[in-house]
Amino acid sequence: MNARRHPGQRYPGQRAGLTKEQVIATANDVLADGGFGALTMRAVAERLAVAPNALYSHVANKTELVDEVLDATLRTIREPATDDVEAVLREIMAETLTALLRHPDLMPAFLARQGSRGPHARRLGDIMAAALERVGITGSDAVEARRVLIVYTIGFAAFAAGPPEGNPVPLDELQHNFASGLQWLLAGILAGRC
């Protein structure tokens, strides 16, 4: 005879109030503690004290989980409060670098996934595309300009996130180098506009 479940009663493996934000935060913790190779659905479920299948109502698989974790790092990046195209692009890339440097443990995942694909990444991409369009850079030229800026920024973050013993360049010097290189890139992109 099957026992009737009361409204609000949980099934085995469920956890009351488990949210997507908790799943992503816990995945981030697993990455911070064990690196990219340690991140599995089972490891996240164990930290949350739920069965792995409880995670699937929030993320479809490990790939989506990684994409969500990567995208969450971009959540704090705001739309620049200026119409100056160079300033918009510079501020977004500088804030992206800062966000990436706060999570050096995520660099292998950013490199493996070639960036983020979530809603925050798309929002920033749309802001960049709109800025480029204001100066006549559209279509494949705009896509290429954005890609170059993103690859530059992720590359710098990966270089800066390297092990301290293998990275003799101080962080403040690297950040200065990043700003100088970004200025050169933007000058070239904007000078070549249609």
Side-chain angles (χ1 to χ4, degrees):
M1 181 177 188
N2 291 340
R4 287 182 50 115
R5 296 197 185 274
H6 301 287
Q9 186 178 3
R10 290 181 283 148
Y11 292 90
Q14 288 181 316
R15 179 175 176 184
L18 182 63
T19 66
K20 187 174 190 174
E21 290 73 23
Q22 288 173 310
V23 172
I24 294 166
T26 302
N28 208 352
D29 292 343
V30 170
L31 275 166
D33 292 345
F36 188 54
L39 180 63
T40 64
M41 298 295 273
R42 183 170 301 283
V44 174
E46 285 175 7
R47 290 255 182 132
L48 289 166
V50 298
N53 64 348
L55 303 181
Y56 292 103
S57 60
H58 301 287
V59 291
N61 52 39
K62 179 182 173 179
T63 299
E64 184 178 322
L65 179 63
V66 169
D67 284 342
E68 291 284 349
V69 168
L70 298 181
D71 196 57
T73 65
L74 305 177
R75 179 184 321 127
T76 60
I77 301 172
R78 304 171 317 273
E79 180 170 1
T82 178
D83 288 332
D84 181 274
V85 172
E86 184 175 347
V88 167
L89 298 172
R90 184 176 55 249
E91 286 180 37
I92 288 176
M93 292 297 95
E95 283 196 42
T96 299
L97 178 68
T98 299
L100 295 176
L101 291 177
R102 280 195 298 266
H103 302 280
D105 47 299
L106 294 181
M107 288 317 306
F110 266 102
L111 293 170
R113 298 291 295 144
Q114 295 184 335
S116 173
R117 293 164 178 76
H120 298 296
R122 288 193 300 272
R123 174 182 58 86
L124 294 171
D126 290 346
I127 293 167
M128 293 171 70
L132 290 165
E133 187 175 5
R134 288 198 299 271
V135 292
I137 301 174
T138 60
S140 62
D141 289 341
V143 170
E144 185 174 8
R146 286 193 327 249
R147 185 172 297 137
V148 165
L149 291 169
I150 291 165
V151 168
Y152 174 77
T153 303
I154 291 174
F156 238 98
F159 186 77
E165 65 277 0
N167 188 5
V169 183
L171 182 58
D172 60 340
E173 186 175 339
L174 284 175
Q175 289 174 317
H176 174 76
N177 296 154
F178 173 80
S180 297
L182 182 59
Q183 183 177 344
W184 300 332
L185 270 177
L186 290 172
I189 288 168
L190 298 175
R193 65 180 175 250
C194 303

